[in-house]
Amino acid sequence: MSSRTNFDASKLPNNLPEVAKMTAQLVALKSTDPGSYEEEIETFIKTWIVNSCSFSLPNKKEMFPIIQEVEVFPHRRCLRATIPSATTSFDSSTLPPSDLTFICHMDTVTDGDGWDSETPAFNPVYKDGLLYGRGSCDMKGGLACALLAFRDACQTCKTQKTLPQKSLSVIFTVDEEANMRGVERVIDAGWVGEKGWVLDAEPTNNAIRGSHKGRTWFKITVTGITAHASTPWKGADAIAAMAIVINEIRTAVQSLPTHPELGSSTVTFGQILGGYQPYVVPDKAELWVDMRLAPPTTTQAAERIVQQAIKRAQTEICGTHASYDITGNRPSVVLPKDSELLAQLLSCAESCNTPAKLDIFTGYTDTAVIASTCRNTECMSYGPGELERAHKPNEYVPVEDLTRVYRVFKSLIKSTICDF
């Protein structure tokens, strides 16, 4: 069943920039994770690339750009479109990582509650310079910028009747808002690797963001012995033991060393379950923990903190037993200050009269996975919108931001890829 809403593009102003109209089209394709997922939007993007970007060249049997897909889950595919370099011999099934890759995720978080009636989640509205809708900021606006900049590069190749000296790809991933299995599949497919510049279009508040804290998740389980609340000494209180675990972890994380760029490590106890009734000693409690770790703290160090907290709880609340699982492990990433992509991107932003600053990324992105997994030091984020608007009701992206990032992306491609 189609997830398309009753979006009427004619309700948008005629003079709205092309990049804003493309963003609106993408927002209207519901691709929530969980929910509708990415099948419809991936099909739309692939069809649009075929219709808007295709070109052929003399003495070349292939049609360009070269399109590849990999399935991550049933009906959930990552997509790649590539303009290979003029000097590289290639097989369309084994294209190497490109010199420059834009990577954008197609999924969004669910719409959630709190949307105003005049700015519905999946029927884009333009008002006072802002384009509203779920995903407009995170990150269909950035996806539109990358898609149109790639289209322009294809048109340049068609006009020049040749391939560029360096290769260019756009990659569209699934599952970024959940477990990031899409970008992991992209890595396994060899679409990205240790070499090549990789830029995602996450909302960055006119900043270039490359450094990330690590993200380590734990599930902690405490078991005890049930008893009547009037005779608690006959039981073992699992929730009381979990309270000790929480306090010990919180205290330990607060004492961890700080990093000059990324600051302090943090911990959030995001979910806890346990107990039956107020008058029953609980025999089980479960806790989910999110740690954001700044260097030099690693997952191994965090694991030792959890082990010590469990040991303390078991000692103080006799009869309880605790265990843990690591449910997520993403190492920290520190962007080198001598990054070539960083220097080029700063230069392009300056030449477009929209100078950018350098900042950290407080979340975790597809490019962070690539940087940490592939040991690629040329991975970062730059895109339209404010990071603080992501995942909230009445999400929006300033149209001025869309046009700014689109110009910078075109400048980056022209200065590094399509300079024939």
Side-chain angles (χ1 to χ4, degrees), residues 39-74:
E39 183 176 22
E40 186 176 12
I41 191 171
E42 191 264 346
T43 300
F44 171 85
I45 293 170
K46 181 174 64 173
T47 302
W48 188 91
I49 290 174
V50 170
N51 292 336
S52 303
C53 302
S54 295
F55 64 96
S56 60
L57 295 174
N59 303 318
K60 296 284 187 183
K61 62 180 181 179
E62 299 88 0
M63 284 294 296
F64 301 100
I66 295 170
I67 296 176
Q68 299 167 281
E69 294 174 287
V70 290
E71 188 171 75
V72 183
F73 306 104

PDB file of all heavy atoms in Angstrom, residues 39-74:
ATOM      1  N   GLU A  39      10.866   1.962   1.311  1.00  0.00           N
ATOM      2  CA  GLU A  39      10.711   1.388  -0.026  1.00  0.00           C
ATOM      3  C   GLU A  39      10.199   2.404  -1.036  1.00  0.00           C
ATOM      4  O   GLU A  39      10.732   2.531  -2.151  1.00  0.00           O
ATOM      5  CB  GLU A  39       9.779   0.171   0.000  1.00  0.00           C
ATOM      6  CG  GLU A  39       9.662  -0.495  -1.368  1.00  0.00           C
ATOM      7  CD  GLU A  39       8.813  -1.756  -1.337  1.00  0.00           C
ATOM      8  OE1 GLU A  39       7.990  -1.905  -0.415  1.00  0.00           O
ATOM      9  OE2 GLU A  39       8.981  -2.583  -2.256  1.00  0.00           O
ATOM     10  N   GLU A  40       9.177   3.162  -0.684  1.00  0.00           N
ATOM     11  CA  GLU A  40       8.589   4.089  -1.648  1.00  0.00           C
ATOM     12  C   GLU A  40       9.540   5.233  -1.985  1.00  0.00           C
ATOM     13  O   GLU A  40       9.692   5.609  -3.157  1.00  0.00           O
ATOM     14  CB  GLU A  40       7.267   4.651  -1.119  1.00  0.00           C
ATOM     15  CG  GLU A  40       6.559   5.510  -2.149  1.00  0.00           C
ATOM     16  CD  GLU A  40       5.192   5.994  -1.688  1.00  0.00           C
ATOM     17  OE1 GLU A  40       4.874   5.857  -0.497  1.00  0.00           O
ATOM     18  OE2 GLU A  40       4.448   6.517  -2.549  1.00  0.00           O
ATOM     19  N   ILE A  41      10.199   5.779  -0.985  1.00  0.00           N
ATOM     20  CA  ILE A  41      11.089   6.903  -1.268  1.00  0.00           C
ATOM     21  C   ILE A  41      12.321   6.442  -2.042  1.00  0.00           C
ATOM     22  O   ILE A  41      12.829   7.154  -2.910  1.00  0.00           O
ATOM     23  CB  ILE A  41      11.474   7.653   0.031  1.00  0.00           C
ATOM     24  CG1 ILE A  41      12.175   8.977  -0.317  1.00  0.00           C
ATOM     25  CG2 ILE A  41      12.349   6.818   0.937  1.00  0.00           C
ATOM     26  CD1 ILE A  41      12.405   9.875   0.884  1.00  0.00           C
ATOM     27  N   GLU A  42      12.801   5.222  -1.769  1.00  0.00           N
ATOM     28  CA  GLU A  42      13.949   4.711  -2.523  1.00  0.00           C
ATOM     29  C   GLU A  42      13.574   4.526  -3.992  1.00  0.00           C
ATOM     30  O   GLU A  42      14.368   4.848  -4.893  1.00  0.00           O
ATOM     31  CB  GLU A  42      14.428   3.380  -1.922  1.00  0.00           C
ATOM     32  CG  GLU A  42      15.771   2.909  -2.464  1.00  0.00           C
ATOM     33  CD  GLU A  42      15.655   1.910  -3.600  1.00  0.00           C
ATOM     34  OE1 GLU A  42      14.543   1.375  -3.814  1.00  0.00           O
ATOM     35  OE2 GLU A  42      16.676   1.660  -4.277  1.00  0.00           O
ATOM     36  N   THR A  43      12.393   4.024  -4.242  1.00  0.00           N
ATOM     37  CA  THR A  43      11.917   3.864  -5.624  1.00  0.00           C
ATOM     38  C   THR A  43      11.782   5.217  -6.306  1.00  0.00           C
ATOM     39  O   THR A  43      12.151   5.383  -7.477  1.00  0.00           O
ATOM     40  CB  THR A  43      10.571   3.125  -5.638  1.00  0.00           C
ATOM     41  OG1 THR A  43      10.736   1.833  -5.047  1.00  0.00           O
ATOM     42  CG2 THR A  43      10.040   2.979  -7.051  1.00  0.00           C
ATOM     43  N   PHE A  44      11.258   6.195  -5.574  1.00  0.00           N
ATOM     44  CA  PHE A  44      11.125   7.546  -6.126  1.00  0.00           C
ATOM     45  C   PHE A  44      12.485   8.119  -6.504  1.00  0.00           C
ATOM     46  O   PHE A  44      12.663   8.663  -7.605  1.00  0.00           O
ATOM     47  CB  PHE A  44      10.428   8.462  -5.118  1.00  0.00           C
ATOM     48  CG  PHE A  44      10.443   9.921  -5.508  1.00  0.00           C
ATOM     49  CD1 PHE A  44       9.470  10.428  -6.353  1.00  0.00           C
ATOM     50  CD2 PHE A  44      11.434  10.772  -5.038  1.00  0.00           C
ATOM     51  CE1 PHE A  44       9.483  11.772  -6.731  1.00  0.00           C
ATOM     52  CE2 PHE A  44      11.459  12.117  -5.406  1.00  0.00           C
ATOM     53  CZ  PHE A  44      10.476  12.609  -6.253  1.00  0.00           C
ATOM     54  N   ILE A  45      13.463   8.012  -5.595  1.00  0.00           N
ATOM     55  CA  ILE A  45      14.791   8.579  -5.858  1.00  0.00           C
ATOM     56  C   ILE A  45      15.443   7.892  -7.054  1.00  0.00           C
ATOM     57  O   ILE A  45      16.013   8.550  -7.934  1.00  0.00           O
ATOM     58  CB  ILE A  45      15.673   8.463  -4.603  1.00  0.00           C
ATOM     59  CG1 ILE A  45      15.135   9.365  -3.483  1.00  0.00           C
ATOM     60  CG2 ILE A  45      17.125   8.830  -4.914  1.00  0.00           C
ATOM     61  CD1 ILE A  45      15.790   9.129  -2.132  1.00  0.00           C
ATOM     62  N   LYS A  46      15.369   6.564  -7.104  1.00  0.00           N
ATOM     63  CA  LYS A  46      15.978   5.831  -8.211  1.00  0.00           C
ATOM     64  C   LYS A  46      15.342   6.234  -9.540  1.00  0.00           C
ATOM     65  O   LYS A  46      16.059   6.478 -10.534  1.00  0.00           O
ATOM     66  CB  LYS A  46      15.832   4.325  -7.982  1.00  0.00           C
ATOM     67  CG  LYS A  46      16.468   3.482  -9.075  1.00  0.00           C
ATOM     68  CD  LYS A  46      16.437   1.999  -8.752  1.00  0.00           C
ATOM     69  CE  LYS A  46      15.035   1.453  -8.676  1.00  0.00           C
ATOM     70  NZ  LYS A  46      15.019  -0.024  -8.529  1.00  0.00           N
ATOM     71  N   THR A  47      14.020   6.326  -9.573  1.00  0.00           N
ATOM     72  CA  THR A  47      13.333   6.717 -10.803  1.00  0.00           C
ATOM     73  C   THR A  47      13.705   8.136 -11.203  1.00  0.00           C
ATOM     74  O   THR A  47      13.935   8.432 -12.386  1.00  0.00           O
ATOM     75  CB  THR A  47      11.811   6.598 -10.618  1.00  0.00           C
ATOM     76  OG1 THR A  47      11.484   5.259 -10.262  1.00  0.00           O
ATOM     77  CG2 THR A  47      11.073   6.981 -11.887  1.00  0.00           C
ATOM     78  N   TRP A  48      13.794   9.019 -10.220  1.00  0.00           N
ATOM     79  CA  TRP A  48      14.145  10.414 -10.498  1.00  0.00           C
ATOM     80  C   TRP A  48      15.558  10.510 -11.068  1.00  0.00           C
ATOM     81  O   TRP A  48      15.804  11.266 -12.019  1.00  0.00           O
ATOM     82  CB  TRP A  48      14.035  11.240  -9.212  1.00  0.00           C
ATOM     83  CG  TRP A  48      14.187  12.715  -9.440  1.00  0.00           C
ATOM     84  CD1 TRP A  48      13.195  13.618  -9.699  1.00  0.00           C
ATOM     85  CD2 TRP A  48      15.405  13.462  -9.435  1.00  0.00           C
ATOM     86  NE1 TRP A  48      13.716  14.872  -9.850  1.00  0.00           N
ATOM     87  CE2 TRP A  48      15.080  14.812  -9.699  1.00  0.00           C
ATOM     88  CE3 TRP A  48      16.743  13.130  -9.228  1.00  0.00           C
ATOM     89  CZ2 TRP A  48      16.034  15.824  -9.766  1.00  0.00           C
ATOM     90  CZ3 TRP A  48      17.709  14.132  -9.293  1.00  0.00           C
ATOM     91  CH2 TRP A  48      17.369  15.458  -9.552  1.00  0.00           C
ATOM     92  N   ILE A  49      16.493   9.737 -10.536  1.00  0.00           N
ATOM     93  CA  ILE A  49      17.865   9.750 -11.055  1.00  0.00           C
ATOM     94  C   ILE A  49      17.898   9.261 -12.496  1.00  0.00           C
ATOM     95  O   ILE A  49      18.552   9.857 -13.363  1.00  0.00           O
ATOM     96  CB  ILE A  49      18.785   8.897 -10.156  1.00  0.00           C
ATOM     97  CG1 ILE A  49      18.990   9.584  -8.799  1.00  0.00           C
ATOM     98  CG2 ILE A  49      20.139   8.660 -10.829  1.00  0.00           C
ATOM     99  CD1 ILE A  49      19.761   8.753  -7.797  1.00  0.00           C
ATOM    100  N   VAL A  50      17.176   8.174 -12.784  1.00  0.00           N
ATOM    101  CA  VAL A  50      17.131   7.654 -14.145  1.00  0.00           C
ATOM    102  C   VAL A  50      16.561   8.700 -15.103  1.00  0.00           C
ATOM    103  O   VAL A  50      17.083   8.916 -16.209  1.00  0.00           O
ATOM    104  CB  VAL A  50      16.305   6.354 -14.198  1.00  0.00           C
ATOM    105  CG1 VAL A  50      16.042   5.936 -15.652  1.00  0.00           C
ATOM    106  CG2 VAL A  50      17.020   5.236 -13.453  1.00  0.00           C
ATOM    107  N   ASN A  51      15.501   9.383 -14.688  1.00  0.00           N
ATOM    108  CA  ASN A  51      14.826  10.342 -15.573  1.00  0.00           C
ATOM    109  C   ASN A  51      15.545  11.678 -15.676  1.00  0.00           C
ATOM    110  O   ASN A  51      15.467  12.346 -16.721  1.00  0.00           O
ATOM    111  CB  ASN A  51      13.393  10.579 -15.089  1.00  0.00           C
ATOM    112  CG  ASN A  51      12.509   9.359 -15.242  1.00  0.00           C
ATOM    113  OD1 ASN A  51      12.778   8.489 -16.070  1.00  0.00           O
ATOM    114  ND2 ASN A  51      11.463   9.278 -14.445  1.00  0.00           N
ATOM    115  N   SER A  52      16.247  12.086 -14.621  1.00  0.00           N
ATOM    116  CA  SER A  52      16.806  13.436 -14.573  1.00  0.00           C
ATOM    117  C   SER A  52      18.317  13.506 -14.702  1.00  0.00           C
ATOM    118  O   SER A  52      18.849  14.590 -14.961  1.00  0.00           O
ATOM    119  CB  SER A  52      16.390  14.121 -13.255  1.00  0.00           C
ATOM    120  OG  SER A  52      14.995  14.159 -13.110  1.00  0.00           O
ATOM    121  N   CYS A  53      19.000  12.394 -14.496  1.00  0.00           N
ATOM    122  CA  CYS A  53      20.462  12.424 -14.447  1.00  0.00           C
ATOM    123  C   CYS A  53      21.134  11.608 -15.546  1.00  0.00           C
ATOM    124  O   CYS A  53      22.352  11.732 -15.740  1.00  0.00           O
ATOM    125  CB  CYS A  53      20.954  11.903 -13.091  1.00  0.00           C
ATOM    126  SG  CYS A  53      20.318  12.803 -11.660  1.00  0.00           S
ATOM    127  N   SER A  54      20.402  10.774 -16.262  1.00  0.00           N
ATOM    128  CA  SER A  54      21.026   9.831 -17.190  1.00  0.00           C
ATOM    129  C   SER A  54      21.706  10.537 -18.359  1.00  0.00           C
ATOM    130  O   SER A  54      21.189  11.519 -18.900  1.00  0.00           O
ATOM    131  CB  SER A  54      19.986   8.849 -17.717  1.00  0.00           C
ATOM    132  OG  SER A  54      19.484   8.043 -16.677  1.00  0.00           O
ATOM    133  N   PHE A  55      22.861  10.008 -18.743  1.00  0.00           N
ATOM    134  CA  PHE A  55      23.551  10.497 -19.933  1.00  0.00           C
ATOM    135  C   PHE A  55      24.424   9.375 -20.490  1.00  0.00           C
ATOM    136  O   PHE A  55      24.787   8.433 -19.791  1.00  0.00           O
ATOM    137  CB  PHE A  55      24.411  11.737 -19.613  1.00  0.00           C
ATOM    138  CG  PHE A  55      25.554  11.489 -18.660  1.00  0.00           C
ATOM    139  CD1 PHE A  55      26.846  11.239 -19.129  1.00  0.00           C
ATOM    140  CD2 PHE A  55      25.352  11.532 -17.279  1.00  0.00           C
ATOM    141  CE1 PHE A  55      27.906  11.018 -18.250  1.00  0.00           C
ATOM    142  CE2 PHE A  55      26.408  11.320 -16.401  1.00  0.00           C
ATOM    143  CZ  PHE A  55      27.684  11.060 -16.885  1.00  0.00           C
ATOM    144  N   SER A  56      24.707   9.493 -21.770  1.00  0.00           N
ATOM    145  CA  SER A  56      25.614   8.553 -22.429  1.00  0.00           C
ATOM    146  C   SER A  56      26.768   9.338 -23.027  1.00  0.00           C
ATOM    147  O   SER A  56      26.686  10.551 -23.208  1.00  0.00           O
ATOM    148  CB  SER A  56      24.881   7.767 -23.519  1.00  0.00           C
ATOM    149  OG  SER A  56      24.352   8.648 -24.495  1.00  0.00           O
ATOM    150  N   LEU A  57      27.857   8.614 -23.350  1.00  0.00           N
ATOM    151  CA  LEU A  57      29.058   9.253 -23.877  1.00  0.00           C
ATOM    152  C   LEU A  57      29.549   8.497 -25.102  1.00  0.00           C
ATOM    153  O   LEU A  57      29.349   7.269 -25.205  1.00  0.00           O
ATOM    154  CB  LEU A  57      30.164   9.285 -22.818  1.00  0.00           C
ATOM    155  CG  LEU A  57      29.892  10.124 -21.573  1.00  0.00           C
ATOM    156  CD1 LEU A  57      31.018   9.937 -20.558  1.00  0.00           C
ATOM    157  CD2 LEU A  57      29.722  11.596 -21.913  1.00  0.00           C
ATOM    158  N   PRO A  58      30.192   9.202 -26.020  1.00  0.00           N
ATOM    159  CA  PRO A  58      30.756   8.517 -27.184  1.00  0.00           C
ATOM    160  C   PRO A  58      31.767   7.452 -26.759  1.00  0.00           C
ATOM    161  O   PRO A  58      32.518   7.646 -25.801  1.00  0.00           O
ATOM    162  CB  PRO A  58      31.446   9.653 -27.956  1.00  0.00           C
ATOM    163  CG  PRO A  58      30.793  10.905 -27.472  1.00  0.00           C
ATOM    164  CD  PRO A  58      30.413  10.657 -26.060  1.00  0.00           C
ATOM    165  N   ASN A  59      31.743   6.327 -27.418  1.00  0.00           N
ATOM    166  CA  ASN A  59      32.696   5.239 -27.185  1.00  0.00           C
ATOM    167  C   ASN A  59      32.543   4.594 -25.801  1.00  0.00           C
ATOM    168  O   ASN A  59      33.467   3.937 -25.315  1.00  0.00           O
ATOM    169  CB  ASN A  59      34.143   5.717 -27.359  1.00  0.00           C
ATOM    170  CG  ASN A  59      34.377   6.308 -28.739  1.00  0.00           C
ATOM    171  OD1 ASN A  59      33.888   5.762 -29.745  1.00  0.00           O
ATOM    172  ND2 ASN A  59      35.096   7.423 -28.794  1.00  0.00           N
ATOM    173  N   LYS A  60      31.407   4.826 -25.167  1.00  0.00           N
ATOM    174  CA  LYS A  60      31.132   4.170 -23.889  1.00  0.00           C
ATOM    175  C   LYS A  60      29.818   3.405 -24.020  1.00  0.00           C
ATOM    176  O   LYS A  60      28.786   3.974 -24.408  1.00  0.00           O
ATOM    177  CB  LYS A  60      31.010   5.199 -22.762  1.00  0.00           C
ATOM    178  CG  LYS A  60      32.283   5.977 -22.462  1.00  0.00           C
ATOM    179  CD  LYS A  60      33.286   5.145 -21.686  1.00  0.00           C
ATOM    180  CE  LYS A  60      34.470   6.005 -21.249  1.00  0.00           C
ATOM    181  NZ  LYS A  60      35.491   5.200 -20.543  1.00  0.00           N
ATOM    182  N   LYS A  61      29.845   2.129 -23.688  1.00  0.00           N
ATOM    183  CA  LYS A  61      28.627   1.329 -23.821  1.00  0.00           C
ATOM    184  C   LYS A  61      27.684   1.533 -22.634  1.00  0.00           C
ATOM    185  O   LYS A  61      26.486   1.264 -22.745  1.00  0.00           O
ATOM    186  CB  LYS A  61      28.989  -0.149 -23.954  1.00  0.00           C
ATOM    187  CG  LYS A  61      29.711  -0.733 -22.738  1.00  0.00           C
ATOM    188  CD  LYS A  61      30.036  -2.211 -22.940  1.00  0.00           C
ATOM    189  CE  LYS A  61      30.736  -2.796 -21.707  1.00  0.00           C
ATOM    190  NZ  LYS A  61      31.032  -4.247 -21.882  1.00  0.00           N
ATOM    191  N   GLU A  62      28.236   1.965 -21.499  1.00  0.00           N
ATOM    192  CA  GLU A  62      27.414   2.115 -20.297  1.00  0.00           C
ATOM    193  C   GLU A  62      26.570   3.385 -20.359  1.00  0.00           C
ATOM    194  O   GLU A  62      26.934   4.371 -20.997  1.00  0.00           O
ATOM    195  CB  GLU A  62      28.281   2.164 -19.033  1.00  0.00           C
ATOM    196  CG  GLU A  62      29.113   0.937 -18.783  1.00  0.00           C
ATOM    197  CD  GLU A  62      30.467   1.003 -19.467  1.00  0.00           C
ATOM    198  OE1 GLU A  62      30.734   2.024 -20.146  1.00  0.00           O
ATOM    199  OE2 GLU A  62      31.229   0.041 -19.326  1.00  0.00           O
ATOM    200  N   MET A  63      25.459   3.342 -19.658  1.00  0.00           N
ATOM    201  CA  MET A  63      24.697   4.556 -19.360  1.00  0.00           C
ATOM    202  C   MET A  63      25.151   5.051 -17.992  1.00  0.00           C
ATOM    203  O   MET A  63      25.456   4.258 -17.093  1.00  0.00           O
ATOM    204  CB  MET A  63      23.200   4.274 -19.340  1.00  0.00           C
ATOM    205  CG  MET A  63      22.574   4.122 -20.723  1.00  0.00           C
ATOM    206  SD  MET A  63      22.610   5.646 -21.695  1.00  0.00           S
ATOM    207  CE  MET A  63      21.538   6.699 -20.691  1.00  0.00           C
ATOM    208  N   PHE A  64      25.209   6.351 -17.855  1.00  0.00           N
ATOM    209  CA  PHE A  64      25.626   6.942 -16.595  1.00  0.00           C
ATOM    210  C   PHE A  64      24.484   7.789 -16.035  1.00  0.00           C
ATOM    211  O   PHE A  64      23.650   8.295 -16.792  1.00  0.00           O
ATOM    212  CB  PHE A  64      26.875   7.806 -16.818  1.00  0.00           C
ATOM    213  CG  PHE A  64      28.039   7.050 -17.386  1.00  0.00           C
ATOM    214  CD1 PHE A  64      28.331   7.111 -18.744  1.00  0.00           C
ATOM    215  CD2 PHE A  64      28.828   6.256 -16.581  1.00  0.00           C
ATOM    216  CE1 PHE A  64      29.387   6.408 -19.273  1.00  0.00           C
ATOM    217  CE2 PHE A  64      29.894   5.546 -17.102  1.00  0.00           C
ATOM    218  CZ  PHE A  64      30.177   5.625 -18.460  1.00  0.00           C
ATOM    219  N   PRO A  65      24.437   7.983 -14.706  1.00  0.00           N
ATOM    220  CA  PRO A  65      25.318   7.369 -13.699  1.00  0.00           C
ATOM    221  C   PRO A  65      25.024   5.882 -13.536  1.00  0.00           C
ATOM    222  O   PRO A  65      23.962   5.402 -13.934  1.00  0.00           O
ATOM    223  CB  PRO A  65      24.971   8.143 -12.434  1.00  0.00           C
ATOM    224  CG  PRO A  65      23.538   8.539 -12.623  1.00  0.00           C
ATOM    225  CD  PRO A  65      23.398   8.830 -14.090  1.00  0.00           C
ATOM    226  N   ILE A  66      25.963   5.196 -12.943  1.00  0.00           N
ATOM    227  CA  ILE A  66      25.800   3.769 -12.663  1.00  0.00           C
ATOM    228  C   ILE A  66      25.033   3.616 -11.350  1.00  0.00           C
ATOM    229  O   ILE A  66      25.398   4.223 -10.333  1.00  0.00           O
ATOM    230  CB  ILE A  66      27.163   3.073 -12.599  1.00  0.00           C
ATOM    231  CG1 ILE A  66      27.829   3.136 -13.979  1.00  0.00           C
ATOM    232  CG2 ILE A  66      27.024   1.629 -12.133  1.00  0.00           C
ATOM    233  CD1 ILE A  66      29.261   2.713 -13.991  1.00  0.00           C
ATOM    234  N   ILE A  67      23.976   2.844 -11.381  1.00  0.00           N
ATOM    235  CA  ILE A  67      23.096   2.696 -10.214  1.00  0.00           C
ATOM    236  C   ILE A  67      23.265   1.305  -9.620  1.00  0.00           C
ATOM    237  O   ILE A  67      23.262   0.304 -10.333  1.00  0.00           O
ATOM    238  CB  ILE A  67      21.631   2.949 -10.614  1.00  0.00           C
ATOM    239  CG1 ILE A  67      21.452   4.401 -11.074  1.00  0.00           C
ATOM    240  CG2 ILE A  67      20.696   2.638  -9.449  1.00  0.00           C
ATOM    241  CD1 ILE A  67      20.063   4.720 -11.578  1.00  0.00           C
ATOM    242  N   GLN A  68      23.414   1.258  -8.306  1.00  0.00           N
ATOM    243  CA  GLN A  68      23.536  -0.010  -7.570  1.00  0.00           C
ATOM    244  C   GLN A  68      22.564   0.001  -6.390  1.00  0.00           C
ATOM    245  O   GLN A  68      22.249   1.062  -5.833  1.00  0.00           O
ATOM    246  CB  GLN A  68      24.960  -0.192  -7.030  1.00  0.00           C
ATOM    247  CG  GLN A  68      26.046  -0.250  -8.100  1.00  0.00           C
ATOM    248  CD  GLN A  68      27.420  -0.099  -7.480  1.00  0.00           C
ATOM    249  OE1 GLN A  68      27.847   1.005  -7.150  1.00  0.00           O
ATOM    250  NE2 GLN A  68      28.121  -1.223  -7.305  1.00  0.00           N
ATOM    251  N   GLU A  69      22.133  -1.178  -5.994  1.00  0.00           N
ATOM    252  CA  GLU A  69      21.273  -1.342  -4.826  1.00  0.00           C
ATOM    253  C   GLU A  69      21.748  -2.536  -4.007  1.00  0.00           C
ATOM    254  O   GLU A  69      22.247  -3.519  -4.562  1.00  0.00           O
ATOM    255  CB  GLU A  69      19.818  -1.574  -5.235  1.00  0.00           C
ATOM    256  CG  GLU A  69      19.147  -0.405  -5.908  1.00  0.00           C
ATOM    257  CD  GLU A  69      17.753  -0.767  -6.416  1.00  0.00           C
ATOM    258  OE1 GLU A  69      17.667  -1.492  -7.420  1.00  0.00           O
ATOM    259  OE2 GLU A  69      16.767  -0.318  -5.798  1.00  0.00           O
ATOM    260  N   VAL A  70      21.587  -2.457  -2.699  1.00  0.00           N
ATOM    261  CA  VAL A  70      21.791  -3.611  -1.828  1.00  0.00           C
ATOM    262  C   VAL A  70      20.622  -3.675  -0.854  1.00  0.00           C
ATOM    263  O   VAL A  70      20.182  -2.653  -0.325  1.00  0.00           O
ATOM    264  CB  VAL A  70      23.128  -3.556  -1.042  1.00  0.00           C
ATOM    265  CG1 VAL A  70      24.313  -3.745  -1.971  1.00  0.00           C
ATOM    266  CG2 VAL A  70      23.256  -2.268  -0.244  1.00  0.00           C
ATOM    267  N   GLU A  71      20.113  -4.882  -0.651  1.00  0.00           N
ATOM    268  CA  GLU A  71      18.993  -5.064   0.275  1.00  0.00           C
ATOM    269  C   GLU A  71      19.530  -5.265   1.686  1.00  0.00           C
ATOM    270  O   GLU A  71      20.419  -6.089   1.912  1.00  0.00           O
ATOM    271  CB  GLU A  71      18.144  -6.251  -0.142  1.00  0.00           C
ATOM    272  CG  GLU A  71      16.861  -6.374   0.661  1.00  0.00           C
ATOM    273  CD  GLU A  71      15.916  -7.416   0.106  1.00  0.00           C
ATOM    274  OE1 GLU A  71      16.194  -8.616   0.305  1.00  0.00           O
ATOM    275  OE2 GLU A  71      14.911  -7.042  -0.528  1.00  0.00           O
ATOM    276  N   VAL A  72      18.990  -4.519   2.611  1.00  0.00           N
ATOM    277  CA  VAL A  72      19.384  -4.618   4.021  1.00  0.00           C
ATOM    278  C   VAL A  72      18.377  -5.471   4.779  1.00  0.00           C
ATOM    279  O   VAL A  72      18.741  -6.353   5.560  1.00  0.00           O
ATOM    280  CB  VAL A  72      19.500  -3.216   4.649  1.00  0.00           C
ATOM    281  CG1 VAL A  72      19.983  -3.314   6.095  1.00  0.00           C
ATOM    282  CG2 VAL A  72      20.444  -2.334   3.826  1.00  0.00           C
ATOM    283  N   PHE A  73      17.101  -5.182   4.574  1.00  0.00           N
ATOM    284  CA  PHE A  73      15.976  -5.963   5.082  1.00  0.00           C
ATOM    285  C   PHE A  73      14.995  -6.128   3.909  1.00  0.00           C
ATOM    286  O   PHE A  73      15.104  -5.404   2.918  1.00  0.00           O
ATOM    287  CB  PHE A  73      15.276  -5.251   6.251  1.00  0.00           C
ATOM    288  CG  PHE A  73      16.187  -4.861   7.379  1.00  0.00           C
ATOM    289  CD1 PHE A  73      16.575  -3.534   7.549  1.00  0.00           C
ATOM    290  CD2 PHE A  73      16.649  -5.805   8.274  1.00  0.00           C
ATOM    291  CE1 PHE A  73      17.409  -3.167   8.598  1.00  0.00           C
ATOM    292  CE2 PHE A  73      17.488  -5.451   9.316  1.00  0.00           C
ATOM    293  CZ  PHE A  73      17.869  -4.122   9.475  1.00  0.00           C
ATOM    294  N   PRO A  74      14.047  -7.043   4.006  1.00  0.00           N
ATOM    295  CA  PRO A  74      13.068  -7.169   2.930  1.00  0.00           C
ATOM    296  C   PRO A  74      12.396  -5.831   2.609  1.00  0.00           C
ATOM    297  O   PRO A  74      11.907  -5.144   3.517  1.00  0.00           O
ATOM    298  CB  PRO A  74      12.066  -8.188   3.491  1.00  0.00           C
ATOM    299  CG  PRO A  74      12.882  -9.030   4.415  1.00  0.00           C
ATOM    300  CD  PRO A  74      13.864  -8.087   5.050  1.00  0.00           C
TER     301      PRO A  74
END
